[in-house]
């Protein structure tokens, strides 16, 4: 028997909740519904869902707070659903560990596609230790990076940066997130560090560092690894 993924929906608007429930259930997901941030946090702990859809405008607290609370222990995908579409809100949610972000009104087909991708990545993350992208190969157990079978020498920081980008393939990682993950708390504003290391890394792994195909700049937000 196929195990269905459990999706927790934290959404206060009845109509959207209903719409999500119908669409998710007809796509064979098990659905758990919460209408407030507090209820969402409780159900996340008791049901251990595989993915959370989180509205930012909740009646009892801002969804951003719920996100921050969840990320203290919840490692699976969280997709934000919000009417807010300012770059600031997107950056803030991504910084706090959101996996993806969809603005309302959203197309159900697009939401389902993003969910599949997030679920696939989160399963992959747990198992995969070797990544290959065309001529590029990254062995996360041996800590070896190769192109066309030739070892590329990376410093520890370059390697850590590459690995975190690769593990989150397709996802935008913000400057703050990368700085915190690689250099630690207190370095979140040192974006010039990142610029320097991204440039070095591109010189080593990209065929044309001036026109990178793997490490993509998301202007004003961060970087994204593309296969
Ligand atoms: Ca709402």
């Amino acid at each position: 028997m196929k195990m269905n993924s459990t999706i927790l929906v934290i959404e206060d608007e009845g109509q959207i909740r209903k719409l999500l429930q119908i669409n998710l259930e007809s796509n064979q997901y098990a659905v758990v519904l919460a209408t407030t941030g507090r209820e969402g946090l409780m159900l996340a702990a008791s049901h251990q869902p595989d993915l959370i859809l989180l509205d930012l405008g909740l009646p009892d607290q801002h969804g951003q707070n719920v996100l921050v609370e969840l990320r203290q222990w919840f490692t699976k995908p969280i997709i934000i659903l919000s009417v807010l579409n300012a770059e600031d809100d997107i950056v803030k949610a991504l910084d706090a560990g959101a996996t993806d972000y969809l603005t309302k009104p959203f197309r159900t087909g697009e939401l389902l596609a993003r969910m599949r991708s997030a679920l696939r990545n989160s399963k992959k993350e747990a198992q995969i230790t070797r990544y290959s992208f065309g001529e590029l190969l990254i062995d996360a157990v041996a800590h070896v990076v190769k192109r066309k079978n030739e070892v590329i020498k990376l410093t520890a920081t370059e390697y850590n940066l590459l690995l975190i980008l690769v593990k989150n393939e397709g996802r935008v990682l913000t400057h703050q997130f990368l700085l915190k993950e690689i250099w630690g708390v207190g370095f979140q504003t040192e974006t010039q560090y990142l610029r320097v290391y991204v440039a070095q890394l591109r010189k080593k792994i990209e065929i044309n560092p001036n026109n990178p195909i793997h490490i993509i700049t998301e202007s004003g937000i961060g970087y994204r690894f593309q296969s």
Side-chain angles (χ1 to χ4, degrees), residues 166-184:
V166 160
K167 279 189 171 171
N168 292 284
E169 182 208 330
R171 175 177 162 193
V172 186
L173 301 179
T174 65
H175 298 134
Q176 271 204 40
F177 175 82
L178 287 167
L179 286 162
K180 195 179 83 197
E181 289 295 308
I182 293 163
W183 284 276

Side-chain angles (χ1 to χ4, degrees), residues 10-211:
I10 309 175
E11 167 66 74
D12 63 319
E13 272 169 75
Q15 265 189 325
I16 298 179
R17 215 165 46 236
K18 194 79 210 159
L19 178 85
L20 286 170
Q21 183 180 19
I22 292 166
N23 278 296
L24 294 178
E25 283 178 351
S26 70
N27 281 277
Q28 276 70 56
Y29 290 112
V31 181
V32 180
L33 299 169
T35 55
T36 64
R38 194 182 140 74
E39 193 187 0
L41 287 167
M42 270 164 37
L43 292 176
S46 59
H47 286 73
Q48 303 283 325
D50 299 292
L51 183 148
I52 295 176
L53 295 178
L54 174 64
D55 176 26
L56 286 185
L58 294 167
D60 59 331
Q61 55 184 306
H62 196 287
Q64 178 76 17
N65 298 337
V66 178
L67 174 65
V68 170
E69 286 255 328
L70 281 169
R71 275 301 180 228
Q72 313 223 342
W73 62 273
F74 187 80
T75 55
K76 290 180 174 167
I78 300 175
I79 299 179
I80 301 293
L81 300 177
S82 173
V83 286
L84 309 167
N85 59 5
E87 193 174 83
D88 268 4
D89 294 306
I90 298 175
V91 171
K92 228 166 122 193
L94 292 169
D95 271 338
T99 312
D100 208 341
Y101 191 106
L102 242 74
T103 51
K104 293 175 184 170
F106 52 84
R107 283 185 295 257
T108 310
E110 184 176 4
L111 172 66
L112 291 169
R114 301 257 190 122
M115 286 175 60
R116 281 195 298 274
S117 156
L119 285 166
R120 224 174 17 242
N121 282 345
S122 94
K123 276 186 195 129
K124 227 166 50 180
E125 224 167 287
Q127 299 159 358
I128 288 195
T129 53
R130 277 164 71 98
Y131 305 84
S132 71
F133 307 97
E135 295 171 341
L136 196 64
L137 181 97
I138 298 127
D139 185 329
V141 172
H143 283 231
V144 170
V145 179
K146 290 182 181 176
R147 194 170 67 206
K148 284 190 183 169
N149 267 331
E150 258 182 57
V151 174
I152 302 173
K153 279 200 159 183
L154 298 181
T155 66
T157 303
E158 289 165 356
Y159 176 80
N160 291 340
L161 177 60
L162 178 62
L163 197 64
I164 196 165
L165 285 164
V166 160
K167 279 189 171 171
N168 292 284
E169 182 208 330
R171 175 177 162 193
V172 186
L173 301 179
T174 65
H175 298 134
Q176 271 204 40
F177 175 82
L178 287 167
L179 286 162
K180 195 179 83 197
E181 289 295 308
I182 293 163
W183 284 276
V185 179
F187 288 86
Q188 277 117 306
T189 55
E190 308 286 344
T191 45
Q192 79 277 12
Y193 281 36
L194 256 185
R195 265 199 297 277
V196 168
Y197 276 90
V198 165
Q200 283 174 203
L201 201 50
R202 278 175 174 157
K203 268 189 206 141
K204 293 184 179 182
I205 69 153
E206 298 279 2
I207 293 166
N208 179 1
N210 296 321
N211 187 18

